[in-house]
Amino acid sequence: MTRLLEPFCGSGAVSIAAAATGQAQRFWLNDVNRPLMDLWAEILERPLQLAERYGQLWSQQHADRKAFFFDIRGEFNTSHQPHHLLYLLARIVKGSVRYSAAGKFNQSPDNRRFGMRPRAMQRQILTVSSLLAGRTMLSALDFRTVASQSETTDLVYMDPPYQGTSCTRDHRYYDGLAYDEFVDALETMNKRGTSYIVSYDGRTGAKEHGDPLPRRLGLKHRHVHAGRSSQSTLLGSSHETVESLYLSPALVERLKADEHCLRESPSRQRELISA
């Protein structure tokens, strides 16, 4: 894989893992949430300054952590400063982001905790920056724009808002995504021969999070056991989360071709392993 694209990047966890394990050489992180992408720019371009600003906020909160959190949240909703967002993300309950219908960050703090200590946060920021800086493109575009610019050797990984928390009264995400709109986009990507993976619907315990993607897309469907749900834990219960992964027809064909090469050619095995 030459390049990994995340049109709904969020925390960029998949790209970080791919960079750490050498699975891709270049990356494109995108999210329609512009303040989030501004934070990503600070992580990659000015990591030490970002860590220092976070440390200042962390130290200033101790007189009254709850009041300080709400003050910073108010400032962030006005100015969208990246270090404010980082502080908020470190303080909210289980990292569970919430936005109002007007796009305002409205989650409350976990008052039992201080948030990640500055020295640990600096290590995290510097590690991510060292993995991705210099080989990562950042943008805040519509996901279709990013997907339309993918190349045949790329892999597009998409983790869009779940149906159960998208376009509903529960605004967990900066912007929702309608089911039919997403399906239409996947059909277009299939026609282009795009290699992609989608993490979309799923279930927590007996609760289903939306409808599965339609069979007509020809996707390879797999269930992934993702462990105990942090959301159910917050509500005082204990349920396992099972997520759905869908592989595009083009990606399935690429994987079959690589598997064939690995079986037939020892030299090809060495080439793929060292790539």
Side-chain angles (χ1 to χ4, degrees):
M1 169 176 48
T2 302
R3 184 174 60 161
L4 175 61
L5 290 70
E6 287 198 71
F8 306 90
C9 75
S11 67
V14 171
S15 290
I16 293 169
T21 55
Q23 299 300 309
Q25 289 73 49
R26 294 183 292 121
F27 306 88
W28 185 349
L29 297 180
N30 176 83
D31 200 291
V32 71
N33 186 339
R34 167 62 71 178
L36 174 62
M37 298 317 298
D38 289 342
L39 174 56
W40 266 111
E42 293 296 304
I43 292 171
L44 299 189
E45 299 168 13
R46 291 169 288 276
L48 285 173
Q49 293 92 323
L50 176 63
E52 181 180 357
R53 290 175 178 174
Y54 170 82
Q56 291 169 351
L57 293 177
W58 190 88
S59 298
Q60 292 167 8
Q61 71 178 333
H62 296 297
D64 188 336
R65 294 198 307 276
K66 184 175 181 180
F68 187 81
F69 176 93
F70 286 117
D71 286 344
I72 295 301
R73 193 180 76 175
E75 290 185 29
F76 170 73
N77 282 328
T78 300
S79 65
H80 296 146
Q81 291 296 310
H83 61 292
H84 288 163
L85 178 56
L86 180 61
Y87 171 77
L88 297 175
L89 294 175
R91 285 289 319 280
I92 57 178
V93 178
K94 297 293 184 181
S96 184
V97 179
R98 296 287 186 275
Y99 289 92
S100 70
K104 300 291 186 180
F105 193 107
N106 69 350
Q107 179 61 298
S108 298
D110 184 344
N111 293 309
R112 300 168 300 172
R113 296 178 174 85
F114 291 87
M116 185 178 292
R117 292 181 176 275
R119 191 168 296 178
M121 180 64 80
Q122 178 174 299
R123 285 197 300 269
Q124 296 279 1
I125 292 171
L126 291 177
T127 297
V128 172
S129 185
S130 68
L131 288 170
L132 297 178
R135 52 180 181 151
T136 301
M137 179 186 298
L138 302 177
S139 61
L141 303 170
D142 182 272
F143 75 97
R144 286 161 291 205
T145 301
V146 176
S148 69
Q149 297 182 42
S150 64
E151 301 173 358
T152 55
T153 56
D154 293 338
L155 174 63
V156 181
Y157 175 78
M158 293 180 287
D159 186 12
Y162 274 5
Q163 299 168 69
T165 56
S166 183
C167 302
T168 69
R169 294 177 61 187
D170 183 6
H171 293 274
R172 296 190 189 180
Y173 299 93
Y174 188 81
D175 195 19
L177 178 63
Y179 176 86
D180 291 340
E181 180 183 353
F182 188 52
V183 170
D184 289 345
L186 295 181
E187 288 183 328
T188 299
M189 293 172 70
N190 282 349
K191 291 176 182 177
R192 292 187 69 249
T194 304
S195 293
Y196 64 83
I197 299 173
V198 178
S199 173
Y200 193 43
D201 55 88
R203 69 176 185 270
T204 303
K207 183 179 180 181
E208 299 284 344
H209 297 295
D211 298 323
L213 292 171
R215 291 181 179 274
R216 71 175 186 273
L217 292 174
L219 306 177
K220 194 78 169 180
H221 184 203
R222 290 289 183 266
H223 284 113
V224 177
H225 293 266
R228 184 173 177 176
S229 166
S230 60
Q231 182 63 25
S232 69
T233 300
L234 289 175
L235 299 176
S237 57
S238 177
H239 296 299
E240 184 181 26
T241 296
V242 179
E243 297 185 358
S244 283
L245 281 186
Y246 297 89
L247 280 64
S248 72
L251 177 58
V252 171
E253 290 305 311
R254 282 175 65 181
L255 293 174
K256 287 180 180 178
D258 281 348
E259 183 181 3
H260 176 76
C261 289
L262 284 169
R263 284 200 308 266
E264 299 298 325
S265 172
S267 62
R268 177 57 175 161
Q269 292 181 33
R270 291 191 295 271
E271 178 185 340
L272 289 172
I273 291 171
S274 62

